[in-house]
Amino acid sequence: MAMVCLSDFEAYAKKYLPKIAWDFFAAGADDCNTRDENILAYKRIHFRPRLLRDVSMMDIRTKILGTEISFPVGIAPTGFHQLAWPDGEKSTARAAKVMNTCYIVSTYSTCTLEEISAAAPGGLRWFQLYIHRNRAVSQQLVQRAEALGFQGLVLTADLPYTGKRRDDVRNGFRLPPHMKLKNLEGAFEVCKMSPSFHSLLDPSVTWNDIYWLRSLTHLPIIIKGILTKEDAELAVRHGVQGIIVSNHGGRQLDGGPATIDALVEVVEAVQSRVEVYLDGGIRKGSDVLKALALGAKCVFIGRPALWGLAYKGEEGLQEVLRILQDEFRLSMALAG
Amino acid sequence: MAMVCLSDFEAYAKKYLPKIAWDFFAAGADDCNTRDENILAYKRIHFRPRLLRDVSMMDIRTKILGTEISFPVGIAPTGFHQLAWPDGEKSTARAAKVMNTCYIVSTYSTCTLEEISAAAPGGLRWFQLYIHRNRAVSQQLVQRAEALGFQGLVLTADLPYTGKRRDDVRNGFRLPPHMKLKNLEGAFEVCKMSPSFHSLLDPSVTWNDIYWLRSLTHLPIIIKGILTKEDAELAVRHGVQGIIVSNHGGRQLDGGPATIDALVEVVEAVQSRVEVYLDGGIRKGSDVLKALALGAKCVFIGRPALWGLAYKGEEGLQEVLRILQDEFRLSMALAG
Amino acid sequence: MAMVCLSDFEAYAKKYLPKIAWDFFAAGADDCNTRDENILAYKRIHFRPRLLRDVSMMDIRTKILGTEISFPVGIAPTGFHQLAWPDGEKSTARAAKVMNTCYIVSTYSTCTLEEISAAAPGGLRWFQLYIHRNRAVSQQLVQRAEALGFQGLVLTADLPYTGKRRDDVRNGFRLPPHMKLKNLEGAFEVCKMSPSFHSLLDPSVTWNDIYWLRSLTHLPIIIKGILTKEDAELAVRHGVQGIIVSNHGGRQLDGGPATIDALVEVVEAVQSRVEVYLDGGIRKGSDVLKALALGAKCVFIGRPALWGLAYKGEEGLQEVLRILQDEFRLSMALAG
Amino acid sequence: MAMVCLSDFEAYAKKYLPKIAWDFFAAGADDCNTRDENILAYKRIHFRPRLLRDVSMMDIRTKILGTEISFPVGIAPTGFHQLAWPDGEKSTARAAKVMNTCYIVSTYSTCTLEEISAAAPGGLRWFQLYIHRNRAVSQQLVQRAEALGFQGLVLTADLPYTGKRRDDVRNGFRLPPHMKLKNLEGAFEVCKMSPSFHSLLDPSVTWNDIYWLRSLTHLPIIIKGILTKEDAELAVRHGVQGIIVSNHGGRQLDGGPATIDALVEVVEAVQSRVEVYLDGGIRKGSDVLKALALGAKCVFIGRPALWGLAYKGEEGLQEVLRILQDEFRLSMALAG
């Protein structure tokens, strides 16, 4: 089976993943309008291709928060990688390291931060955090991540409650018994992953909690979920180092803007004071180029990374990244 | 069968209601463009979600004309609830009371106002009125409603004649013999419900008749069917207390605006002098939030209430309302 | 079979007409974009419905060029009515007279002008003219029409050559042997109707030929096919009495505007100096109201008239007209 | 089988060409958005048809770079005509000569320039050039073309690398063994046509290489692939004689503009200093007229020419051209 483009991986995952895993990864909130808009919005953005520029040498490396990555595509934080591949997040970490890019590890990993770090020593990793009602849990996670050499702290700000993903409700989604949210074990009893599960998260978090986070760690703080200029301005004022324009893959509030549409106003608002990234809807290399042309420093892929894992674990994910890298380089050349 | 969202109830109703009842409830005028636009228009309205606001406590109660309801969704006036459930409007009244919201009882009920009142004593109810050629009929209805404790009078202004609902014509729709328009019995002979039936209504009604209505009752008057700023201004000048932006569920004039699109100009025109509500196209909690964000004080659901009844009577309707309530609360939290 | 709306007649005609006749009537030029746009454009035009106006009495009569018709819908000139019904244009004339409206008789009738006049004495009829290379033919037709009491002369200006209707080419469309273009018999040998047939028409006709027509007859001249303000202005300057905004049912140039879209600029250009009519895309009463609201004095129906004939001859056509009349009146009432 | 319009030829080619050839000709880059937009964009452009102009005599001849052609449609450069018809580019040349129009011969022909010239002596031909890493190859080709009487040199500027055509990758497309890129034989070893093949092209070409080309030949230089006003201005400044607005049939960068949309800004930018042509999306005569109305001097057809060849070799291609010619003439007449 020749994997030519990302939708080949999607088709594979849809066919070979257990239905409950596919449904969980694919789910969007409500009618999935925002999930689908994330992709459709790219089609409405047209290049103005320029010709006869010397494109024999192209440097697609970039730096995020001062660290070089081989090309501007990282791995967004998604949970439960063991649903896609037995080795779970360890495979993800290995693939990201081989490809020399950044992997944002989710709080809801099925491997511990320690296992992930050990699987790919020296790889560039950020840690994604939810703030729990029990702040000691979050504090402990942040400090574990920092101690393990994670280089950034990504605060997900768009999940005070879990969005309504109809398929998950219908399926009564829960993790298979042999998988655990290992990073949270001991912190509290987590016997199942269900919509109520997220009630462990604190919906009273506000911008002031950024100061609390800052007091816990020397890591740069990146805030994920910003979609408006107003919040972008607040993020800058509260001293974050980066912003990920995200709508949680369309899994939270249905009816918000596509991330590529929201990107422009965020970029304008921050005026280069912090780095801006994006996730959502990236399906080919020219999507990456569009995001960069509109001001993103780097993009992160969510579902496509899971499809890669589902195909062949770390090799599959590398293949996904390599395809995006090749397509991105080609798009750059063709757009001049 | 898990009922996760309102379209599950719609699918149930389509499958299990007698075809003639389903067709009657579903029917739109002519090509059903306006009926369908009511729903589609919401997809074109995007949120600007805000983050990191404390959403641990959310108060979704509101007041309409001074009376508190538990959340801003009421029951729009629709006729013939016995077509959906044997207990008809009595079930509707009970569900509305349990959920602590407002039920607008239709003139064309299959239970008497007295039966409805007795079924759910103390519930908040408004009475929907058509003005008949025989004004004594209308006067008597208004006075019965006021005596029974109804707290508002809703004048439907967009039905001087019945719209052309092709399926009703094809089906030769009429009420089954064991159902009656009980509120009109005695007033005149109503042996069947057919398109001609509505010729009992007075097409010569004008704004001056608001004064006549005012002379009959102390109840606040709400006018239903306004779609333009011009008519909104006239409504305010004629002393009504509320406006329901409505196109009769797309059952009257095909080719008018979606209600959510018309809402904005009505809200601007009245400048808070009267309360503005909306019906039409509400299918999920975020639709409610959009309507409120655009200035509606409360929305009313028509067809979804009938689907709830069709599913399990008052329990089914409660379930519909509870789903909307949960989705609305979640949308508020996620939109910040 | 209940005929509730015009699309019921369309479905009937599609099912029961010989394929070659259905194809000929349905055909549009090239990809049929303009034919289809004629209909779709109405959906983009929204009413602003007004309420509480006394609509108990509605006068839907109008006058065109000084003659009263019972409602503002006439019969557009289409050819070959015997393809739809054995009595052909005689039936059309009878139906138009019964409904008291205007019938524009095509040059390409399968009955003579004399037969048509005799079938419905006293009916309001205009005569549609193409200018032939042999001007004597056209002159004779005009004078026959005037002598027979036709009250207007409609010059079709958008057919210097026949449009490319792919289905006609594929079908090798020609009239069945027992049908004749009777008005042209004797004038020249017309043994078949084929695309080349129209080469008898004169493609060198210009605005100056309006003066020539004027010299032939006292009848008011209406020009059919105008789609731009520039040509509308020229029409007024050349002294015509009326303009029919038309794209020949999308059968000529594919890629022009829908007639309802072109109407506005034509109406603005002529500033009431001449009457403006419209054909194309009328499928329900509210379409008629939209055209009138945008400045048309009256509309003419083409294909729907043929479907009516195909259903039951003059009775079928009456039924089509009566449905449009009822729908138009209802739309007026509901739009206030 | 009656060939009435170009899509008939497309259907034929899809049915009767070997799949690998059909796929190769049909392929677009990535999701084929730009390939499809080329066609769809025409539907959004509406004529303003004018009436009553004398269209009895129409001259559809035009001149490109001083040479008269019988109508403003030429043959765009496409490769591998033997995939469509055994005689390959010799047939193309004969058809173009018979129809008295311009044929732009591709570098990637399966016949030599000499064979093509000999097949249709005296025909108007331009030569399409890629600049190879080995400049001597390109120089030799230019000089052979000039010596053979080619009258223009078309530099394709949008292929520094080959676009990603998924179907070609999946098919592992390569030329059948009995076909050769004959113009390149001897110059270097070309054993297969694969995506890597194009690495023989020089991606470091810049505007300065126009001067190098100019030093090689007296032929006028036309640059192909311009889509922006900025590049149009650069082209004029670098002394080219013509511009072909092109996105390589949507085979290079997916996500650029449709050519008919880009045409306007290019035409405005050059202000008649050079001639502007267009390829892409032409499927009927009215498309040609739209391109000319927007400022193109002539259009070139790519895929439709291949369909014509696939149908019946040079006769098939003549038929395609004749249909376009007839449709174009008719559109002109009907648009006034």
Side-chain angles (χ1 to χ4, degrees), chain C residues 31 33 157 160-162 164 166 170 203-207 223 225-228 230-231 234 252 254-255 257 265, chain D residues 2 4-5 7-8 43 45-56 284 286 323 327 330-331 333-335:
Chain C
D31 296 315
N33 294 320
Y161 301 96
T162 306
K164 182 169 181 175
R166 294 176 183 170
R170 284 185 219 287
S204 75
V205 172
T206 68
W207 288 101
I223 191 156
I226 303 280
L227 291 166
T228 62
E230 293 86 352
D231 279 348
L234 283 170
Q252 288 295 102
D254 199 28
E265 74 175 78
Chain D
V4 174
C5 58
S7 49
D8 293 336
K43 293 194 196 294
I45 298 171
H46 286 172
F47 289 113
R48 294 176 57 77
R50 300 297 305 273
L51 306 179
L52 296 180
R53 294 170 166 193
D54 180 348
V55 291
S56 56
K284 54 183 185 171
S286 60
I323 285 174
E327 289 180 350
L330 181 58
S331 296
L334 298 182

Side-chain angles (χ1 to χ4, degrees), chain D residues 173-193:
Chain D
F173 175 77
R174 53 170 67 200
L175 275 183
H178 61 283
M179 298 185 201
K180 301 270 182 272
L181 293 183
K182 287 192 170 175
N183 289 306
L184 300 172
E185 282 188 309
F188 28 64
E189 191 62 36
V190 183
C191 58
K192 56 168 185 155
M193 171 62 199

Side-chain angles (χ1 to χ4, degrees), chain A residues 54-128:
Chain A
D54 181 347
V55 292
S56 56
M57 302 297 218
M58 283 186 299
D59 187 353
I60 60 171
R61 290 173 303 173
T62 191
K63 282 188 178 177
I64 51 174
L65 296 181
T67 303
E68 184 179 300
I69 54 178
S70 65
F71 75 117
V73 178
I75 314 287
T78 50
F80 313 153
H81 290 193
Q82 285 190 354
L83 282 176
W85 190 253
D87 251 14
E89 288 80 4
K90 289 184 283 185
S91 293
T92 314
R94 286 185 208 111
K97 185 180 171 192
V98 170
M99 293 301 292
N100 190 21
T101 191
C102 179
Y103 165 29
I104 309 179
V105 179
S106 168
T107 289
Y108 295 147
S109 297
T110 41
C111 303
T112 63
L113 300 185
E114 288 74 12
E115 290 169 335
I116 296 167
S117 289
L124 173 61
R125 279 182 291 275
W126 293 350
F127 174 64
Q128 175 272 333

Side-chain angles (χ1 to χ4, degrees), chain A:
Chain A
M1 184 166 191
M3 304 312 257
V4 173
C5 58
L6 267 54
S7 49
D8 293 336
F9 292 85
E10 182 177 18
Y12 183 95
K14 185 166 190 177
K15 191 164 173 189
Y16 291 104
L17 273 183
K19 183 178 182 309
I20 194 127
W22 167 260
D23 280 356
F24 175 73
F25 292 145
D30 291 342
D31 295 316
C32 303
N33 294 320
T34 297
R35 181 194 67 180
D36 298 340
E37 266 295 291
N38 271 353
I39 294 172
L40 292 171
Y42 286 97
K43 294 194 195 295
R44 295 190 295 261
I45 299 171
H46 285 172
F47 289 112
R48 293 176 58 77
R50 300 297 304 273
L51 306 179
L52 296 180
R53 296 170 165 193
D54 181 347
V55 292
S56 56
M57 302 297 218
M58 283 186 299
D59 187 353
I60 60 171
R61 290 173 303 173
T62 191
K63 282 188 178 177
I64 51 174
L65 296 181
T67 303
E68 184 179 300
I69 54 178
S70 65
F71 75 117
V73 178
I75 314 287
T78 50
F80 313 153
H81 290 193
Q82 285 190 354
L83 282 176
W85 190 253
D87 251 14
E89 288 80 4
K90 289 184 283 185
S91 293
T92 314
R94 286 185 208 111
K97 185 180 171 192
V98 170
M99 293 301 292
N100 190 21
T101 191
C102 179
Y103 165 29
I104 309 179
V105 179
S106 168
T107 289
Y108 295 147
S109 297
T110 41
C111 303
T112 63
L113 300 185
E114 288 74 12
E115 290 169 335
I116 296 167
S117 289
L124 173 61
R125 279 182 291 275
W126 293 350
F127 174 64
Q128 175 272 333
L129 183 78
Y130 292 112
I131 297 184
H132 290 78
R133 292 181 193 270
N134 179 346
R135 297 287 169 110
V137 174
S138 296
Q139 176 172 352
Q140 182 227 34
L141 282 167
V142 169
Q143 291 167 345
R144 271 167 70 193
E146 186 167 7
L148 286 163
F150 282 74
Q151 297 183 31
L153 185 64
V154 175
L155 176 67
T156 296
D158 60 4
L159 204 136
Y161 301 97
T162 306
K164 182 169 181 176
R165 302 155 198 171
R166 292 176 184 171
D167 279 349
D168 288 353
V169 182
R170 286 186 219 286
N171 290 338
F173 175 77
R174 54 169 68 200
L175 277 183
H178 60 286
M179 297 185 200
K180 302 270 181 274
L181 294 182
K182 287 193 172 174
N183 288 305
L184 299 173
E185 281 187 307
F188 28 65
E189 192 60 36
V190 183
C191 58
K192 56 168 186 154
M193 172 63 200
S194 78
S196 64
F197 166 79
H198 278 291
S199 63
L200 299 173
L201 302 186
D202 185 351
S204 75
V205 172
T206 68
W207 288 102
N208 284 330
D209 292 293
I210 304 281
Y211 301 128
W212 171 72
L213 272 186
R214 171 58 58 237
S215 74
L216 301 181
T217 177
H218 298 294
L219 292 178
I221 295 174
I222 301 101
I223 191 157
K224 175 168 172 283
I226 303 280
L227 291 166
T228 62
K229 60 186 173 193
E230 293 86 352
D231 279 347
E233 181 60 36
L234 284 171
V236 174
R237 285 205 206 147
H238 284 82
V240 305
Q241 276 70 47
I243 286 173
I244 303 181
V245 173
S246 170
N247 51 30
H248 215 109
R251 296 163 80 83
Q252 287 295 102
L253 178 65
D254 199 27
T259 53
I260 191 72
D261 289 336
L263 176 64
V264 177
E265 74 174 77
V266 171
V267 166
E268 280 180 9
V270 305
Q271 294 183 337
S272 306
R273 290 174 291 172
V274 304
E275 295 188 354
V276 178
Y277 321 108
L278 170 145
D279 72 16
I282 297 287
R283 294 295 178 268
K284 53 183 184 171
S286 60
D287 297 338
V288 180
L289 182 56
K290 287 176 181 176
L292 266 66
L294 293 173
K297 185 85 178 170
C298 167
V299 304
F300 292 92
I301 55 170
R303 292 184 184 93
L306 295 163
W307 305 334
L309 284 179
Y311 177 53
K312 275 192 189 170
E314 64 199 77
E315 281 177 49
L317 177 49
Q318 280 176 46
E319 208 170 324
V320 161
L321 288 166
R322 211 168 282 122
I323 285 174
L324 274 179
Q325 193 176 41
D326 290 346
E327 289 180 350
F328 172 66
R329 189 187 281 113
L330 181 58
S331 296
M332 269 185 72
L334 298 181

Side-chain angles (χ1 to χ4, degrees), chain C residues 119-188:
Chain C
L124 173 61
R125 280 181 290 276
W126 295 350
F127 175 65
Q128 175 272 333
L129 183 79
Y130 293 111
I131 297 183
H132 289 79
R133 292 180 192 272
N134 179 346
R135 296 289 169 110
V137 174
S138 297
Q139 176 172 353
Q140 180 226 36
L141 281 167
V142 169
Q143 290 167 346
R144 271 168 72 195
E146 186 167 7
L148 285 164
F150 281 73
Q151 298 183 31
L153 186 63
V154 175
L155 177 66
T156 295
D158 59 4
L159 203 138
Y161 301 96
T162 306
K164 182 169 181 175
R165 302 154 199 171
R166 294 176 183 170
D167 279 348
D168 288 353
V169 182
R170 284 185 219 287
N171 291 338
F173 175 77
R174 53 169 68 200
L175 275 183
H178 60 285
M179 298 185 200
K180 301 271 182 272
L181 293 182
K182 287 193 171 175
N183 288 305
L184 299 172
E185 281 187 308
F188 29 64

